[in-house]
Amino acid sequence: MQQQIRSGQWHRLIAAVLSGFFVILLQGVLSASVASAEAPELKALHQKEPYASWDRTASEARMLLQDKTAETPKLERIRATLAEQRGEAYQLSQDKSVDVRWLEAQLKSLGPEPKEGESEPEVIASRRAELENELATVSAPIFLADAAYERANLLVGEVDRVIRQNLSEKLLNKSPTPLWPGNWGGALNELKQYVGVLGQQFQAVRQDPQQAREMSASITPFLVFMTFALLTMLLVQPWVINRLDRFSQSLTRKSQILICNLFSTLLRLFFPLLTAFLLIVAIGQLKLPLPSVKATISALAGAAVYIVVSHWLGFLIFRPKAAEQRIIHLDDAFARRGMRICQLLGIFLGLIILLTAVKTDHAFSAASSALLTLPVIVFGSWLMWQLAKVLSKAAKQADEADAQSEQANHVSRGVLNALVWLMKASSILSVVFVCVGYDSLARQAIIPMVMSIALIAFAMVIYYGLLNVINRIMAGDKTQDTEASVSEGLLPIVLIVMMFMLFAPMLALTWGARLTDIAEIWRLLSDGIELGDVRISLDVMITFLVVVFVGVLLTRWIQHVMRHSVLPKTKTDPGARTAIVTGLGYVGYTLAIIIAVSAAGLNLSSLAVVAGALSVGIGFGLQTIVSNFVSGIILLIERPIKEGDWIEVSGHSGFVRKIAVRSTRIETFDLQDVVVPNSDLIAGIVKNMTLRSDHGRLIVPVGVAYGSDLNTVKQVLMDAAKKHAMILSYPEPTVVFTEMADSALLFELRCFVRDIKQYMIIKSELLFDIYQTLTEQGVSIPFPQRDVSIKGLETLLKAWEERKADSGD
């Protein structure tokens, strides 16, 4: 572990050394380029504040790092000073004065420096040299601040390494194993000695008249506060919560029920905390000046808080009497068991705090301390194992729950299985460590795990509470299906990200991270990292995301206004409206990204070469997608097809429902959706029946029997076409005699209809009318007839008659 901690700092150490070397080299070059007269100026600058203070702190830190016996508190103090001065140096190095910016602007106005082998006019060259000398002199404080920043950064990393090394050595400190019977007698004697010391101190208090009177006088307020605590816990809390629950059941509005439930949940935490506070005050009223229990009495408050919060979280997670409100889906029996385990885990944390306080009050030996720790660790490990079994049962029931009604409202099986695995591993390792004598390591294995479970439970309570509140607000009085649809959107992802950002530092602190480590991570996020000439930091990313978010919202709003308010008042067709709205979306999103890059201060010119190289590879890999994207833009601009058109492409016929960036969706006459890549619509052959207009030609074939009056047939067909409302008078309908077939005379009624999309309905109506009219006019509609002749039929009949005669029938 120690090697891992040391190796984790090598990258920072190497980076700091290289940066310091670069700064020193740069200072050397500048000092050689200006003049030797500048050395006294730099020396005088070192003697001014804050440079002198930075130098003194750096010298003190180096001396402390060389001291192998340096204690952690001293290292923490010097680290805090170094971190503060590092921030000052960084701020000074980033803040360029007006003179520096003025000289840099003048140098920029002279143009780029000549390349190797080239020259520039003497006037410009002398002016450039003069400006560079002045810039080097004016920039000396910035160079010194850069060097101080790199030095402080290096020293902070070294101090952190030493502190982690000390903490690792403390964790790996081995004590005698508590399983060895030879250590039990000594531990028992030390406990008897501790009890005897307490008895002696109590007797001393009783023998002192003044202290005895104060102790007797403190009994009355002790009993008063104890009475208040018991009344609060046994009478006030049940009465108030029961009345509030009954009042909540009488309400009908969801918002009022939600507020009552929230208030009831807070009261379930408030009253136990109030009871614990009254108990602590009652104990504090006792005038018992016993030095051997001073730390123990002070630790009672922390132990009480852990017990109360564990009971509250267990109640909210498992809800023994309200299955519909449980965050973890379990049966009633397992829910009650889970809540009891959570309560006992709170007692375990309280015992750990009291045990630590007892060790502070009395100097127990290492063997006795390990023996006292063993039963407490075993108790906590057993509870952790039992809770893991409960969660494992919940993981199995998660798959059996109804996906529509339960899955969206309960923790997934993957999260539960991960928690179960970690909890079981923690319970086993803690027992093993404490049995072999690693007391501190056993505590580190079990206590952070219990605290992590509590933090995760608290995060789940907040997450599902916020999700429920937002669902109720957004859904209002709608059905539960609406609420479920709200929960399945991006809202849960946003809440999960927020919960992670809020609770991740707490989890890190629980597992041994220091506040300085969190501050260091925040500093790295704030300062950012450099990619070429681009510095990406937290504020840059936040600015970029906020501007993009605002740009997207503004684009969506403009699209909504154009679609529903502006374009309907124009004479543009629906396809053109869709093209305009889609084009506005592309333009708006592009402008949002460009403005966001500019607002964040990102200079992407240095990445142009890399982007150009990547674009070649991306072009080959994504050429199909790019082709479809470009084809989609062409479709929106040229509009050879538009939404609502009836087209035939790639063997599919139907109506265009949506033209997207990559593909176009066609709805066939069977109500099937066909997704066609846009490149097929551009490069392939597309038949659009409604490109110019909805008019189209309809052909109705009709066959009549031979011998029918042809003029009557023609007149019937023409009359049917002329009296139909959907048939156009121009071009006028025509009747064509197409063929004299085997069994019928074939005619075609050719006409143009107003809406070709209705051609099947129009054709059906024409056929109904034509058949009825032809029947009334005595014109028959033939059907195929066939004459079957059998060769040798007479011979067969004659033979059959002869056979019949021979048989005598």
Side-chain angles (χ1 to χ4, degrees):
M1 182 182 290
Q2 184 174 347
Q3 292 178 354
Q4 293 177 354
I5 295 176
R6 290 180 177 178
S7 62
Q9 304 295 327
W10 275 114
H11 66 284
R12 297 177 59 186
L13 178 61
I14 294 173
V17 170
L18 292 177
S19 302
F21 175 77
F22 174 76
V23 172
I24 295 174
L25 180 63
L26 182 61
Q27 288 179 344
V29 173
L30 290 175
S31 60
S33 64
V34 290
S36 60
E38 293 182 4
E41 296 182 6
L42 293 176
K43 186 175 181 180
L45 189 60
H46 268 291
Q47 297 175 355
K48 296 181 180 180
E49 293 294 338
Y51 305 101
S53 178
W54 297 348
D55 293 338
R56 289 193 301 269
T57 304
S59 301
E60 182 181 354
R62 286 195 297 267
M63 294 177 61
L64 195 60
L65 289 172
Q66 294 174 0
D67 186 6
K68 301 300 182 181
T69 62
E71 298 178 353
T72 301
K74 291 184 179 180
L75 293 172
E76 291 283 4
R77 286 194 294 270
I78 196 66
R79 188 206 180 283
T81 305
L82 286 171
E84 181 180 358
Q85 293 179 355
R86 180 182 59 183
E88 296 175 356
Y90 179 79
Q91 189 66 30
L92 183 59
S93 65
Q94 297 298 315
D95 294 338
K96 294 183 179 180
S97 63
V98 177
D99 294 337
V100 173
R101 295 197 297 269
W102 176 57
L103 292 172
E104 288 178 347
Q106 293 188 74
L107 280 173
K108 186 177 180 180
S109 65
L110 295 178
E113 295 185 5
K115 298 180 181 179
E116 185 177 357
E118 298 180 357
S119 61
E120 60 181 352
E122 183 64 26
V123 177
I124 298 178
S126 60
R127 179 57 179 169
R128 188 186 303 277
E130 180 182 355
L131 291 174
E132 288 178 350
N133 292 336
E134 293 181 6
L135 182 61
T137 303
V138 176
S139 301
I142 299 178
F143 297 148
L144 291 181
D146 285 335
Y149 171 80
E150 298 296 340
R151 180 182 61 188
N153 197 31
L154 173 63
L155 292 175
V156 165
E158 284 296 307
V159 172
D160 285 337
R161 181 186 62 81
V162 174
I163 292 175
R164 292 192 182 95
Q165 181 179 350
N166 295 339
L167 293 176
S168 300
E169 292 175 355
K170 184 178 179 180
L171 282 177
L172 298 177
N173 185 23
K174 188 177 183 301
S175 58
T177 173
L179 301 181
W180 179 249
N183 298 327
W184 297 352
L188 184 60
N189 291 331
E190 289 189 25
L191 284 175
K192 291 180 179 179
Q193 181 183 359
Y194 178 57
V195 174
V197 171
L198 288 177
Q200 293 174 4
Q201 293 176 356
F202 185 73
Q203 290 295 332
V205 172
R206 291 185 60 185
Q207 292 174 3
D208 189 340
Q210 181 177 357
Q211 292 183 350
R213 286 193 301 270
E214 292 178 354
M215 183 180 65
S216 300
S218 64
I219 294 177
T220 301
F222 169 76
L223 295 176
V224 172
F225 280 103
M226 285 292 294
T227 303
F228 282 144
L230 294 176
L231 290 176
T232 302
M233 180 178 61
L234 300 177
L235 296 179
V236 178
Q237 176 182 347
W239 183 81
V240 173
I241 292 179
N242 290 335
R243 290 289 299 272
L244 187 61
D245 290 342
R246 287 196 297 268
F247 177 72
S248 176
Q249 295 175 0
S250 64
L251 298 175
T252 56
R253 297 185 60 182
K254 293 182 178 181
S255 58
Q256 295 177 351
I257 296 174
L258 186 64
I259 293 174
C260 285
N261 292 337
L262 178 61
F263 195 56
S264 175
T265 301
L266 294 178
L267 287 179
R268 292 181 186 274
L269 177 63
F270 170 75
F271 281 115
L273 287 178
L274 179 60
T275 302
F277 173 75
L278 292 175
L279 291 175
I280 298 300
V281 172
I283 295 174
Q285 295 298 317
L286 289 175
K287 301 299 182 181
L288 290 176
L290 304 177
S292 297
V293 292
K294 183 178 180 181
T296 305
I297 293 176
S298 301
L300 288 175
V305 170
Y306 277 116
I307 294 173
V308 170
V309 173
S310 299
H311 168 75
W312 182 65
L313 289 176
F315 171 79
L316 294 180
I317 294 294
F318 294 103
R319 292 281 186 175
K321 298 181 181 180
E324 69 280 357
Q325 298 180 6
R326 288 175 195 157
I327 294 178
I328 297 179
H329 185 71
L330 278 171
D331 297 335
D332 292 343
F334 279 94
R336 290 191 296 269
R337 183 180 177 185
M339 181 176 175
R340 286 195 299 269
I341 294 174
C342 290
Q343 295 170 349
L344 292 176
L345 282 174
I347 295 176
F348 161 72
L349 292 177
L351 290 176
I352 288 289
I353 294 176
L354 295 178
L355 181 60
T356 305
V358 169
K359 293 179 181 180
T360 304
D361 288 330
H362 186 77
F364 288 95
S365 63
S368 301
S369 177
L371 189 60
L372 292 174
T373 305
L374 175 61
V376 180
I377 294 297
V378 171
F379 175 64
S381 300
W382 178 78
L383 292 175
M384 185 74 69
W385 189 271
Q386 295 300 317
L387 184 59
K389 291 172 62 177
V390 172
L391 295 182
S392 178
K393 179 66 175 178
K396 293 179 181 179
Q397 292 187 359
D399 287 344
E400 301 173 359
D402 185 11
Q404 299 296 329
S405 61
E406 303 289 345
Q407 188 73 14
N409 297 323
H410 297 88
V411 183
S412 64
R413 181 177 181 181
V415 176
L416 292 176
N417 284 332
L419 284 177
V420 167
W421 187 86
L422 291 174
M423 292 164 64
K424 290 183 177 181
S426 175
S427 60
I428 294 174
L429 290 176
S430 60
V431 173
V432 172
F433 289 150
V434 74
C435 288
V436 297
Y438 290 99
D439 187 3
S440 300
L441 200 57
R443 290 168 174 260
Q444 186 64 23
I446 185 74
I447 297 177
M449 192 65 213
V450 177
M451 298 295 295
S452 298
I453 293 174
L455 285 175
I456 293 173
F458 188 58
M460 287 193 299
V461 169
I462 296 178
Y463 167 75
Y464 287 105
L466 290 176
L467 192 62
N468 188 23
V469 171
I470 296 175
N471 280 340
R472 292 290 179 86
I473 294 175
M474 297 180 66
D477 295 331
K478 298 179 182 179
T479 61
Q480 294 181 356
D481 294 337
T482 304
E483 297 180 5
S485 64
V486 175
S487 301
E488 294 172 358
L490 293 177
L491 178 61
I493 299 177
V494 175
L495 290 179
I496 289 174
V497 172
M498 293 174 60
M499 292 295 102
F500 176 80
M501 295 178 63
L502 179 62
F503 285 91
M506 299 181 187
L507 286 174
L509 293 174
T510 299
W511 285 96
R514 299 174 294 130
L515 287 174
T516 52
D517 296 331
I518 306 299
E520 190 71 13
I521 295 176
W522 178 258
R523 184 192 67 83
L524 292 176
L525 292 175
S526 300
D527 294 346
I529 57 175
E530 290 187 359
L531 299 176
D533 295 336
V534 180
R535 175 175 289 275
I536 300 177
S537 59
L538 184 62
D539 56 344
V540 170
M541 294 302 299
I542 292 176
T543 303
F544 178 82
L545 294 177
V546 168
V547 174
V548 169
F549 180 73
V550 173
V552 170
L553 287 182
L554 185 60
T555 302
R556 293 284 184 88
W557 178 77
I558 293 176
Q559 287 181 305
H560 178 79
V561 172
M562 293 294 293
R563 181 184 291 112
H564 298 284
S565 299
V566 178
L567 293 178
K569 299 179 181 179
T570 63
K571 297 182 179 180
T572 55
D573 56 84
R577 298 175 190 176
T578 303
I580 294 173
V581 171
T582 306
L584 284 176
Y586 292 154
V587 174
Y589 297 151
T590 304
L591 289 178
I593 295 176
I594 294 175
I595 295 174
V597 170
S598 177
L602 296 176
N603 182 14
L604 303 182
S605 58
S606 59
L607 301 179
V609 178
V610 178
L614 290 176
S615 62
V616 177
I618 294 174
F620 283 108
L622 303 179
Q623 56 182 347
T624 303
I625 297 177
V626 174
S627 174
N628 289 326
F629 176 78
V630 174
S631 300
I633 295 177
I634 295 174
L635 289 176
L636 293 174
I637 295 176
E638 291 188 357
R639 296 174 60 225
I641 63 173
K642 56 185 180 295
E643 291 186 7
D645 283 355
W646 173 19
I647 67 172
E648 289 184 5
V649 60
S650 301
H652 300 283
S653 177
F655 298 103
V656 178
R657 294 308 182 195
K658 184 177 181 181
I659 302 176
V661 176
R662 189 195 65 84
S663 61
T664 296
R665 182 169 61 89
I666 299 174
E667 182 182 308
T668 65
F669 299 109
D670 297 329
L671 298 182
Q672 297 173 346
D673 289 336
V674 178
V675 179
V676 180
N678 289 331
S679 58
D680 292 352
L681 298 173
I682 294 297
I685 297 176
V686 182
K687 183 178 180 181
N688 192 338
M689 270 68 71
T690 58
L691 176 61
R692 293 181 300 172
S693 67
D694 291 337
H695 298 173
R697 191 176 72 167
L698 174 63
I699 299 177
V700 180
V702 176
V704 297
Y706 277 89
S708 301
D709 188 353
L710 300 185
N711 293 327
T712 302
V713 173
K714 180 178 180 182
Q715 188 63 37
V716 169
L717 295 179
M718 290 295 294
D719 292 341
K722 291 180 180 180
K723 66 182 179 180
H724 198 287
M726 294 297 294
I727 303 299
L728 296 176
S729 58
Y730 182 82
E732 63 180 356
T734 59
V735 176
V736 180
F737 188 178
T738 59
E739 184 180 357
M740 292 184 294
D742 294 339
S743 58
L745 302 176
L746 301 183
F747 294 83
E748 286 185 355
L749 172 61
R750 300 182 179 183
C751 54
F752 289 86
V753 298
R754 300 183 187 275
D755 189 357
I756 193 61
K757 300 174 186 178
Q758 305 292 329
Y759 85 101
M760 288 300 298
I761 298 176
I762 299 173
K763 183 177 181 181
S764 175
E765 293 175 351
L766 288 174
L767 288 175
F768 271 110
D769 188 15
I770 291 172
Y771 179 77
Q772 183 177 1
T773 307
L774 289 177
T775 303
E776 294 174 353
Q777 295 293 331
V779 178
S780 61
I781 306 297
F783 53 87
Q785 298 179 2
R786 296 291 184 267
D787 294 333
V788 179
S789 60
I790 302 175
K791 295 181 178 181
L793 179 60
E794 295 179 355
T795 305
L796 291 175
L797 291 174
K798 183 178 181 181
W800 180 75
E801 290 177 354
E802 292 177 353
R803 183 177 179 182
K804 184 177 180 181
D806 295 338
S807 60
D809 293 338

